[in-house]
Structure formats: structure tokens, C-alpha cells
Amino acid sequence: MSPLNSETPTLPSGAGNDGQPHAKQDAMEVKARQQDVNGTASHSLWVDVNAHQEVKRVVVLGSGDFGLALTGRLVQANYQVVVGSRNPQKTRPRASGIGATVMQHEEALQQGEVVVMAVPFTHVASLPLQQLAGKIVIDVSNRTPATSSSLGSLSQAEELQALVPAARVVKAFNVLSAYALTRGNMGSKEVPVCSDDEAARRRVCEIARDLRFTPLDMGRLSNAQEVEAIPLSFFTEWRGGFFTSLAVFVFYFLLLLFEWQLCSHLQHPSNDWSSLNRLVSSNVSIACADTALTLLALCYLPGVLAAYLQLWRGTKYSQFPGWLDLWLKSRKHLGLLMLLNSLLHVILKLAGSPLSWNADWRRNAFVASGVFALVLAGILGLTSLPSVAGNMTWREFSFVQSVLGWFTLVLATLHLVFSGWDMLFKPDFTCYLPSNGQFVMVLPLLTLALKLPLLLPCVDSMLQNIRQGYDRTPSRTNNN
Ligand code: NAP
């Protein structure tokens, strides 16, 4: 039996009842000893054989969002999980609710050979690191602005390895999010795994598979920087499609502006600029339609070019030029942006026809803010679907759900403001009551007003610190 086979997590329930598993393990030990005698066996085989008993047990240090989310998933996959916490008493109700045991860090570390470091990276040094020697230590941490600037070009996983040279550090699971883990909706998402210890890397790949993820062997720990960059990547794959779509839209918009508004003024100068009232209803709507059609063509064109190239080369086994490869890969994004433009066009048209767009700027602003709010709400809804969320990085997901979410609220509120402009700010209490619009405005405006102070840098940085583990309560401070 090879060391690789010995790692297969096949610890059966009721091991020892029929003597089978012990016999199997004895045979492995004998073989290991024989190989030792022959001078060919490595010590790691012994570690693997012994670790075989432990393979279903994992120690998770830290009972935060991610630690407990991963714990829940491990328990579902029949792992025994011991959570190491600074304050077991306080953590116990939450951890035992999902089927895990809680202990102090030192005690927890005695329970297993595979350790997940689920504490913010800035606090790692406060853990009993000497106990990690010889253990597989899974670094799940992601970079924050603070750690990025202090580490420079070194990844956090390499930094951890330097802190504990005797540990078998593996970078993994950082691309998952606590939210999606608890909701169990990540499908078979790819989990990049890298480590300088090959056996440890394989073990963590096994764990990832047990959790129904698809491990991606990224090789040595020096690749951890690349792995740590994944959750922070920001629509990198969308850039080409987005800028193409924007450029096409701007082109059509300017063309329409010239043809429909500016040209007539150049020919017959006058002071009547009322045609500008149709900018959104006509120009934007038509520019969206033009863009959608162009993007649709751009989705199909690279396939045709690739086919000609293959015909010319007479093979499909040679690489396309870089630009064509990139174009082919961006078809998914171009297609979705095409959909977005079509949607905008249809909605603007539908909204425009009964509403006499030629009215005034306020009427235009009313419909425009409503339409864009509706589209953004659609994006929010789409990205909350498991299949879409599972394919987004953490930064992309939080940008859409947070930044775009707030923007949607602002637009929807403006929509309301423009709709009842005359009524909203006039205390015209018909029947001694505020109007319907005034009622509806209260909650969104209150919410936006409460959000504004949180955007102040000093308040925001305090909030970020707390979210990264800073704890002011006396019990935690004493334990630190
Ligand atoms: P968190 O909610 O802030 O929890 C971290 C936990 O670490 C705390 O609950 C605490 O557990 C422990 N801790 C906090 N300060 C500590 C200190 N000074 N010394 C020792 N332990 C301390 O953080 P998290 O979101 O779970 O993230 C944990 C790690 O996972 C981070 O490195 C993060 O980058 C990574 N990660 C998180 C996510 C995510 O979606 N949240 C996704 C991928 C990776 P006790 O009170 O039990 O000691």
C-alpha cells in the first residue's frame, strides 16, 4: 500500500468490532516497519498511518463566522470537530448547536492533527503556535488592507509557515464565504489548495472533496499569494465585456445626440432646447437597443473567426491567438450585458409611452430613477441565486449586495421624490394626514440618513476593526 492510499479517509464506523480495520492498520504498520528496515520507508508514512485514525477529526481555532460555518459543514460530512476558543463557555452554546465540542486552544490542539486557523491573521501570533509543530495547519485567512501593507510580497500562508517552521502549512478554503457555507449553496465550487508538504496538500484535498468542493491543486506554498488574491479580484473577468459595452453605448448615444438634438440647432439656431427632454426616453432607450444588438453580434463573431482559423490551420489542437482567446472567454459577460441593455431598452420604452416624456426634467428623472432602480434590483436578485453567487468572488458579491444595494435604495427613493415633488415638501395635509408619498418616504430617508455617518472614515475603520476580531468586552480582553 502506498502512502497515498494510506491517506484515504476510510475510517469505518464500529472500527475494531470485527477486527478488520485493526488488521488492515497492523498490516500497514508492518509494511512501514519492513520498509524502515530496508531503509526505504520515510517517517512520513508512519505519520500518515497514524494520521489515518485522525483523518475524520479536525480542530478549528476560532469560533467566528467562518470558523463555525466551516465547522457546520465538516460536521455534516461526518467529521468530529473540536473548536478552540478563548472563551469556551461563551462559545459552547453556538458550537454544540451544530455538533462540535469546544475547548481552550491548548486543549483543543491536543485533539487532532489537522488544524484550521479560523482567527483573523493579525491575531495568529497570540495562539499557542508551538503546539502546531508536525500538524497540518490550514490557513483560511484572507488579506485585509492592514495585512496587505505589512506583508508586502509575502503571502499570509508563507508568513504563517515562517512563524511555525515545523508546521505543515496548507493554504485552502479562503475562497469560500461564511455566508455561503452556512447556506450550503456553493455547489461544487473550486477550492485552490497549496502547500510545500505534498502529503498535507493531498489530505486537505480529500477534506475539500468530503465537503463536496472541487479541490484545485495549486502546488507549492509560494502560490498562496495568487490564491489569496482570488477573493479580492474585482470583476477582472468582466472588464473586457464591460468596457466594450460602455464604449458601444457611448458611441451610439453621442451619435443620437448629434442627429436628433444638436444637428437641427446647428442648422436652424433657436432657443428652444425642449428636445433635450427626450434624452432618456428616446436617446438612452435607443442607444441601449443598439448596444444590445451590437453585443449580440460580438458574442457570435469570435466563434466564427475561430472556426475560420481552425479551417485554415486544419486542426483544433493549436492555440488561438491571445486576443481571440480572450474574446471567446468574454462571450458569457457580453451576453449578460446584452441582456441588461435589452432590458433597459424595453423598460424605458414601456415606461416612456404612457408617461408623456416630453413633459419636464422632473418627470424624466422620476421615470429614469425608477427604471434604473428596477434594473439594479434585478441584479441584486440575480446575484443572490446560488448558481450566480457561487461564481462570484467575495469582493464582487459584497460590492453588488452592499454598494449596488444602497445605490438601488437611493434611486428608488429619488424615484419617489420626483413622483410627488409638489406634494412631498408642501405640508398639504388633506384630511389632516400627510400624503401617501410622504408616508412612504419616511423609512428610506431615515435608513439613508442613518447610513451616512457610518461612511465617515473614522467610524468605518472602527467598524472594520470590530469585524476583523477587535473586541472591547472585558472578558475577551482578559483572555488575550
Ligand atoms: P471573525 O468572525 O472576526 O471571528 C474570528 C474569531 O477568531 C473570533 O470569533 C474569535 O474566536 C477569534 N479571535 C478574535 N480575536 C482573537 C484574538 N485576539 N486572539 C485569538 N483569537 C481571536 O472572523 P471570521 O470571519 O470568522 O474570519 C476568520 C478567518 O477566516 C480570517 O482569517 C478570514 O480572513 C478568514 N475567512 C473568512 C471568511 C468569511 O466569510 N468570514 C471567508 C474566507 C476566509 P473565539 O472568541 O472563539 O476565540
Side-chain angles (χ1 to χ4, degrees), residues 285-414:
S285 163
I286 300 299
C288 282
D290 293 348
T291 309
L293 194 58
T294 308
L295 293 184
L296 188 61
L298 287 176
C299 285
Y300 286 99
L301 187 58
V304 176
L305 294 180
Y308 276 113
L309 203 60
Q310 286 176 338
L311 280 174
W312 181 56
R313 287 174 172 175
T315 175
K316 70 166 189 173
Y317 295 109
S318 64
Q319 280 196 332
F320 293 128
W323 61 269
L324 184 55
D325 202 35
L326 213 64
W327 191 355
L328 285 163
K329 282 179 185 153
S330 64
R331 281 179 301 176
K332 181 181 78 181
H333 309 114
L334 288 172
L336 282 172
L337 288 163
M338 182 277 294
L339 190 66
L340 183 72
N341 277 285
S342 322
L343 202 65
L344 272 173
H345 166 67
V346 171
I347 298 172
L348 283 169
K349 263 284 171 252
L350 284 179
S353 32
L355 278 171
S356 173
W357 278 90
N358 292 332
D360 58 6
W361 69 269
R362 227 171 47 222
R363 199 84 181 135
N364 275 287
F366 154 70
V367 181
S369 52
V371 166
F372 284 105
L374 184 67
V375 170
L376 287 181
I379 295 175
L380 290 179
L382 262 179
T383 51
S384 63
L385 293 178
S387 53
V388 181
N391 280 311
M392 297 179 88
T393 67
W394 165 81
R395 200 172 153 203
E396 290 164 357
F397 186 77
S398 52
F399 170 77
V400 170
Q401 294 294 329
S402 175
V403 180
L404 286 194
W406 278 102
F407 193 50
T408 311
L409 182 62
V410 171
L411 279 175
T413 310
L414 284 177

Side-chain angles (χ1 to χ4, degrees), residues 82-408:
V82 179
V83 175
S85 171
R86 294 168 298 170
N87 193 335
Q89 247 181 336
K90 203 166 169 181
T91 304
R92 195 155 290 129
R94 286 182 298 140
S96 39
I98 50 176
T101 322
V102 188
M103 299 174 185
Q104 288 280 357
H105 291 139
E106 289 77 4
E107 207 184 334
L109 282 170
Q110 290 164 12
Q111 312 300 318
E113 294 305 310
V114 178
V115 180
V116 178
M117 299 288 269
V119 300
F121 189 75
T122 38
H123 301 314
V124 157
S126 68
L127 299 171
L129 297 180
Q130 67 290 349
Q131 276 184 261
L132 297 176
K135 294 186 194 292
I136 294 176
V137 178
I138 306 176
D139 173 32
V140 299
S141 69
N142 274 319
R143 282 171 173 255
T144 61
T147 52
S148 293
S149 54
S150 65
L151 290 176
S153 63
L154 216 54
S155 67
Q156 293 184 168
E158 290 169 294
E159 181 82 355
L160 180 63
Q161 184 69 83
L163 270 175
V164 201
R168 306 159 75 191
V169 175
V170 182
K171 183 88 209 178
F173 299 120
N174 64 310
V175 295
L176 308 176
S177 84
Y179 172 77
L181 269 172
T182 38
R183 296 186 64 84
N185 60 6
M186 307 201 78
S188 56
K189 189 175 165 80
E190 270 186 357
V191 170
V193 179
C194 64
S195 172
D196 287 341
D197 186 315
E198 210 178 317
R201 199 165 68 220
R202 282 200 301 262
R203 176 75 53 78
V204 176
C205 286
E206 293 273 2
I207 296 175
R209 261 189 289 275
D210 284 349
L211 302 188
R212 307 239 178 102
F213 296 118
T214 307
L216 187 67
D217 192 333
M218 294 280 288
R220 299 188 67 86
L221 201 61
S222 51
N223 294 323
Q225 205 176 16
E226 204 181 315
V227 178
E228 286 172 8
I230 295 172
L232 297 179
S233 67
F234 195 61
F235 292 108
T236 24
E237 290 182 358
W238 283 81
R239 251 170 232 170
F242 174 76
F243 285 116
T244 307
S245 168
L246 188 67
V248 173
F249 175 84
V250 169
F251 171 77
Y252 286 127
F253 180 80
L254 292 178
L255 192 69
L256 291 170
L257 181 70
F258 180 76
E259 286 179 352
W260 290 354
Q261 278 94 14
L262 302 183
C263 186
S264 59
H265 273 275
L266 288 175
Q267 288 171 343
H268 315 286
S270 81
N271 285 332
D272 180 16
W273 287 94
S274 59
S275 61
L276 283 177
N277 284 340
R278 289 170 37 224
L279 266 189
V280 176
S281 62
S282 301
N283 297 41
V284 173
S285 163
I286 300 299
C288 282
D290 293 348
T291 309
L293 194 58
T294 308
L295 293 184
L296 188 61
L298 287 176
C299 285
Y300 286 99
L301 187 58
V304 176
L305 294 180
Y308 276 113
L309 203 60
Q310 286 176 338
L311 280 174
W312 181 56
R313 287 174 172 175
T315 175
K316 70 166 189 173
Y317 295 109
S318 64
Q319 280 196 332
F320 293 128
W323 61 269
L324 184 55
D325 202 35
L326 213 64
W327 191 355
L328 285 163
K329 282 179 185 153
S330 64
R331 281 179 301 176
K332 181 181 78 181
H333 309 114
L334 288 172
L336 282 172
L337 288 163
M338 182 277 294
L339 190 66
L340 183 72
N341 277 285
S342 322
L343 202 65
L344 272 173
H345 166 67
V346 171
I347 298 172
L348 283 169
K349 263 284 171 252
L350 284 179
S353 32
L355 278 171
S356 173
W357 278 90
N358 292 332
D360 58 6
W361 69 269
R362 227 171 47 222
R363 199 84 181 135
N364 275 287
F366 154 70
V367 181
S369 52
V371 166
F372 284 105
L374 184 67
V375 170
L376 287 181
I379 295 175
L380 290 179
L382 262 179
T383 51
S384 63
L385 293 178
S387 53
V388 181
N391 280 311
M392 297 179 88
T393 67
W394 165 81
R395 200 172 153 203
E396 290 164 357
F397 186 77
S398 52
F399 170 77
V400 170
Q401 294 294 329
S402 175
V403 180
L404 286 194
W406 278 102
F407 193 50
T408 311

